[in-house]
Amino acid sequence: MKNVEKYTRGYFMPPVNEMKWAKKDYIDHAPVWCSVDLRDGNQSLIVPMSLEEKLEFFQYLVKIGFKEIEVGFPAASETEYDFTRALIEQDLIPDDVTIQVLTQSREHIIKKTFESLKGVKNAVVHLYNSTSVAQREQVFKRSKEEIIDIAVQGAKLLKQYAAEADGNLRFEYSPESFTGTEMEFALDICNQVLDVWQPTAENPVIINLPATVSMSMPHVYASQVEYMSDNLKYRENVVLSLHPHNDRGCAIADSEMGLLAGADRIEGTLFGNGERTGNVDIVTLALNMYSQGVDPKLEFGNIPEVVEVYERVTNRKVYDRQPYGGQLVFAAFSGSHQDAIAKGMKWREEHDCQYWTVPYLPIDPKDIGRQYDGDVIRINSQSGKGGIGYLLEQKFGLDLPKKMRENVGYCVKSVSDHQHKELTPDEVYNVFRQHYVNVDAPVHFKASHFLPGDQFHAQVEVAMDGKTYDLKGEGNGRLDAVSNALQTGLDLDFTVLTYKEHALEIGSKSQAVAYVGVQSPDGTDYWGAGMHTDIMTASVKALISAVNQMKEDR
């Protein structure tokens, strides 16, 4: 590509880089979660949410289990101010939930922010100013000392206004554009803010390290976080928070490595909504932990509902391949994938497995409210016999013989291929019924009777080409007798290879299903199925269905 020479690495590695975090292999407990859907998420929408939508979304975030929720920048607009007041005045904030509000380090903005919090029980006031080289030089045109003074003066104002306010008010500071800031300077400005606030065990503060713009590979961000964690003053009384953005597509990795590196808290949004490429996706991050046996302390047991609420209030669409929440993330169209999933599910049934290890499925879809028959096995021209057979069994109770599954699979895939579309479970079932079940032409079954003896004697009445035939045969079983009657009376030649039957329902008048496979003299296999309340009638219908397949092929 052209112009590659104009780009450089704009981040700063810490002066000490021990990478202790790299020796850990998983996150062993959930962080403190803070949803910023109502601020970062909302300001990134083409049409921001209305007051009513924001109120509904806030209550849903509470339902999911968020204990900290950033609700806005009250001094930025009347809408944001009114929303904060509505939450407080309508008593919509549970006692165990803390709202968070954002403010710049300017006194009139800080004053307005504290006015918006009058009567609140628990709140975090989030102070920020930008610290990166690019922002200092190009935007603010200030020295390092002047940037530190902005932060320190803001910290003092927060402390002053909080002393005059009611409620439990905590502080948070963000060196915005942290990832483009020299690490020694980022540490210095945060420690000077901490010196003003003097956090204690009873009154801890939050230091937030935002990847306002993601500028490096995730291990660099983790090393930056580790350096800050190791060198912040009052560390035991500081909640170290991360706020990753997704410019490089690395927000999840940044968060996971950052937690390994010492972070305690994550700010993000549902499904990663946010400016540019978005914030870190808390749904993915939480369910990644869940997939490794760690309780994320958020309730995502009904992902379809989460998606529905999110899409309705934000007017945004969750991408079909979005991890966990996307419509197709558990879908298997490939025949080999479907076969492996079906066998894995069967293995679980047979071995009473403690742990989830089904191929291609990192978690059990049912644990997050997804269904196997509509979400996992999806049928199109790329599907295989295993997936189609599994769907027919799980959705409709049809336990096809192994060899029949392959024949049915080719038939269903052919229909999908010719129609150029995915088939729904009901459409797959209808293909099976149409091509295999109680096939009534050219041989039409009318009735059958059996007489026991040393061998079974069968009398079978059928119609073909406008004529009725009374056929007789004998064999070592009823189906064998019917088979011999058909071959003798209709001048047919075949061998019965497979017979299987089972009940479809429970009860004396329930439907039963039988499957029969026959082979012609040239070695071709044909399959039929029969359904009837009488199992013997179902068996005869299955045999005649297979014979009709053979005659049609001839």
Side-chain angles (χ1 to χ4, degrees), residues 197-209:
W197 285 341
Q198 296 286 312
T200 64
E202 295 74 28
N203 191 27
V205 302
I206 301 166
I207 292 294
N208 186 54
L209 305 178

Side-chain angles (χ1 to χ4, degrees), residues 20-54:
K20 299 187 295 290
W21 60 269
K23 299 175 183 177
K24 304 174 185 177
D25 65 340
Y26 73 102
I27 301 163
D28 61 7
H29 66 280
V32 176
W33 300 107
C34 178
S35 162
V36 294
D37 289 270
L38 299 171
R39 170 56 189 175
D40 279 32
N42 186 55
Q43 74 175 2
S44 69
L45 299 176
I46 298 171
V47 179
M49 288 179 277
S50 66
L51 177 62
E52 292 73 21
E53 288 169 335
K54 291 182 75 171

